[in-house]
Amino acid sequence: MSWTKWTRGPLAALAVCVLLPWGAAACTTGEAHGGTVSPSPVGKVLDDTDETGRHLREVPGKNAPEVGVEVTPDPAGGWDVRLTLRRFRWSAPGAEPAAVTGRGLAHLFVDGRRVARLRTATHHLAAGLPHGTHQVTARLYADDGTVWAVHGKPVQSTADITVSGAETGAGADTGAGARTGAGVDAGTGAGVETGAGADAAGGRAGAGYAVGE
């Protein structure tokens, strides 16, 4: 477990990064958002799904991908998210929807609601989160939509950010940076797929904190 505390001067915001147990995964061809998933030479497709309805792909832990997440306050407002990766590389936009060992993209969640699909190691979360503690989770997916998993658990990492003051952004003091996870491999490629149509989820994630399926 790794802890990183953050405080902002007048904004009185605290972020605590907590590295959760690694997950890992497997592979298949075709979309895995519910419905039937075809077999694949890579790993084993499980009946279990994540909360978005996507099937888990079990792979041995020895060669499984890993992800760590770090969230830090941005002096200009909002939060900067950085992922650290091991045995994983980003696939290019428009890649064939097939599972390939150690390749794919990440989905970013705030309080369990997906806010972005990532093919890059960095992302900016806009200001606007309500007071309280929020969970920011990065989870790795294969290009066919299945979730990389190890021992029946998704390959993911979560950081808790606690907002205890107004997030105005201006003049924030973010302090010094820290990184979670080990064996960084940022890979190549860039781009964030945000989709269309924000969904505030009852005010938990704030405006613009949800993307389409």
Side-chain angles (χ1 to χ4, degrees):
M1 180 175 292
S2 175
W3 294 86
T4 302
K5 292 187 177 180
W6 293 99
T7 57
R8 310 194 206 203
L11 301 184
L14 171 66
V16 180
C17 294
V18 180
L19 185 61
L20 296 187
W22 299 113
C27 289
T28 173
T29 57
E31 180 60 37
H33 188 276
T36 302
V37 180
S38 302
S40 167
V42 182
K44 178 183 178 181
V45 179
L46 305 181
D47 291 334
D48 295 337
T49 65
D50 68 0
E51 66 270 28
T52 69
R54 299 173 188 270
H55 285 271
L56 306 186
R57 279 198 167 275
E58 179 82 16
V59 293
K62 180 179 179 180
N63 299 315
E66 298 178 352
V67 61
V69 62
E70 174 197 7
V71 185
T72 57
D74 184 343
W79 304 85
D80 292 326
V81 179
R82 178 174 292 276
L83 308 185
T84 57
L85 306 171
R86 294 186 65 190
R87 297 185 294 273
F88 188 81
R89 64 190 185 278
W90 302 113
S91 58
E96 181 182 357
V100 177
T101 301
R103 193 183 77 181
L105 69 162
H107 289 194
L108 192 68
F109 298 83
V110 174
D111 294 336
R113 181 169 295 278
R114 190 177 62 203
V115 299
R117 300 178 181 90
L118 305 179
R119 299 182 190 273
T120 181
T122 59
H123 182 68
H124 181 78
L125 290 174
L129 290 172
H131 294 184
T133 300
H134 305 276
Q135 290 191 323
V136 179
T137 299
R139 183 180 301 154
L140 299 184
Y141 289 77
D143 287 312
D144 66 345
T146 52
V147 187
W148 293 112
V150 172
H151 302 308
K153 302 294 183 181
V155 176
Q156 65 182 36
S157 182
T158 297
D160 287 346
I161 59 175
T162 301
V163 180
S164 56
E167 275 198 304
T168 60
D173 181 6
T174 61
R179 180 165 295 177
T180 61
V184 179
D185 179 6
T188 59
V192 178
E193 303 170 22
T194 58
D199 182 351
R204 293 184 65 195
Y209 276 85
V211 298
E213 293 298 321

